[in-house]
Each structure stands twice: as C-alpha cells, then as structure tokens.
Amino acid sequence: MNARRLWFAFTALVVLVGLVVQVVVTSQNTAGRFPDLGPRLVNLFCFFTIQSNVLVLLTHALLAADPDRPSTLFRTLRLDGLLGIAVTGVVFHTVLKGLADLGGGAAFADFLLHTASPVLCVVGWLAFGPRGAITARVIGWSVVYPLAWLAFTLVRGAIIDYYPYPFVDVTELGYGRVAVNCLVISALFLALAYGALHLDRLLTRNRQPA
C-alpha cells in the first residue's frame, strides 16, 4: 500500500474511532433534551459535524481501496466531506469551542471529530488529491447537501423546538438572524469550494512534467 492509500486509511480509522467513541458517550448520557436512547442517537446523527465525519469516513475508506474514482457522485461526496469537515473545523474553533466543558471520552471524541479529522482530511487532500476531481458541475451538486441540511434542521427545529447549534437556534435568535448566519456559512462553503477548485488546478499544473 502506497503513502496516499495509507494516509486515506489512517484518516478513515481516526474518524471511525471518533464516531464510535461519540456514539458510546451519547448512549450513556441520559441527561438533556433526549432521555431515551433511540431519539438521542438519531439526534446525534442530525449534527452537521457527525454527518461530515461520516462522509469523510466513507470517502476515505473508498480512497484507501482505490484512490482513482472518476464518478461524479463520488467526487461530489468527496468534496462535500472535505468542505463539510473544513467548515466544521473553522466554525468549531472560532464560534463553538469552549461552550461545553468536556472530559474523558467526550473530550477525546470531540478532539478527533473537530480537530484531528479536519486537519487529516485537508492535509491529505493537499498532499494526495486525487487531483482534477473538482469541477464546476461537482461544486454545483455539492451545495445540495449543506442546503438540504439547513432546510431539514430548521423544519425539524420548528417541529420539536430543538436546534443542534446556537447559530441556527430560531427560538433564541429569530429567523432574520438565523438567515444571515446561514448565508454567511453558505458563502464560506462556496468560497472554500471555488478556492479548492483553483488550488486543485494549480497543484495539478505544478505536478505535470515540463
């Protein structure tokens, strides 16, 4: 197994450990908004952080098996995982870090899913690509996921009066402020997408023989 496949496999393993530990921690936490196990675990997988890490796990496991995957679907999922986890890392470390006092397994999972996963995923993409996989079409399809997540989160929140993140909490902030926050995050997502596109083209040119 070459270096890039090892990197992809290691990243997938780190994320898998983080997700498993988080599921165990969540299953043991009977306090809070969801006292029953089933709804509590369903709620866990409604978090953008968890979904982005699942995408990172899935795409990196597939890349470890075969780094050259030309399908538009896979490239879209790969970009969603990359951008989703990058946004997760940026938003967590600038807005959300320190809001909860964690320890033990919760702190360990928090580090793996919010810090290690974004760093490994972004560094792995910069170092190993695959190059040439990002196109305007792929970017167009990739925005479906975050927009769908925002719509689902706001509809679900209105029904059960629960929002997973403070910046989408309509009860506290109102729809106007939440709409602005969503626009900022969407702009960040698109800026990262087109930044990744241009950087990918630059890296591709630099690696071509003169």
Side-chain angles (χ1 to χ4, degrees):
M1 185 178 288
N2 58 28
R4 65 174 179 164
R5 292 176 66 184
L6 281 172
W7 185 280
F8 294 144
F10 178 71
T11 302
L13 178 61
V14 168
V15 175
L16 177 61
V17 171
L19 289 171
V20 169
V21 174
Q22 185 62 65
V23 167
V24 171
V25 169
T26 301
S27 67
Q28 296 173 345
N29 181 17
T30 57
R33 177 67 173 77
F34 301 95
D36 295 330
L37 178 60
R40 195 159 65 246
L41 291 178
V42 169
N43 182 64
L44 174 65
F45 284 91
C46 290
F47 279 81
F48 187 83
T49 294
I50 299 300
Q51 293 181 13
S52 296
N53 273 285
V54 169
L55 284 174
V56 171
L57 170 60
L58 172 64
T59 54
H60 279 72
L62 292 172
L63 286 169
D66 179 9
D68 300 309
R69 292 178 175 272
S71 76
T72 299
L73 175 60
F74 176 80
R75 291 179 174 186
T76 300
L77 294 176
R78 165 68 164 152
L79 183 60
D80 274 329
L82 173 66
L83 298 182
I85 206 64
V87 170
T88 291
V90 170
V91 173
F92 175 77
H93 286 282
T94 58
V95 178
L96 301 176
K97 188 175 182 180
L99 293 181
D101 185 18
L102 304 177
F108 180 57
D110 183 74
F111 170 75
L112 292 183
L113 299 178
H114 288 104
T115 303
S117 176
V119 170
L120 289 171
C121 186
V122 172
V123 171
W125 177 77
L126 290 171
F128 303 113
R131 301 271 72 88
I134 302 176
T135 64
R137 182 185 182 193
V138 168
I139 291 175
W141 281 112
S142 71
V143 299
V144 173
Y145 161 60
L147 291 177
W149 180 84
L150 285 171
F152 168 78
T153 299
L154 293 177
V155 171
R156 176 176 180 260
I159 295 173
I160 68 173
D161 191 25
Y162 174 84
Y163 299 88
Y165 299 106
F167 54 84
V168 291
D169 191 337
V170 174
T171 303
E172 292 294 326
L173 303 178
Y175 279 103
R177 178 66 180 276
V178 168
V180 171
N181 291 342
C182 290
L183 286 174
V184 170
I185 294 173
S186 299
L188 174 61
F189 189 92
L190 281 175
L192 289 173
Y194 279 98
L197 171 62
H198 292 294
L199 183 55
D200 181 57
R201 289 175 176 174
L202 178 62
L203 291 172
T204 300
R205 287 198 300 268
N206 288 342
R207 293 183 182 184
Q208 290 175 345

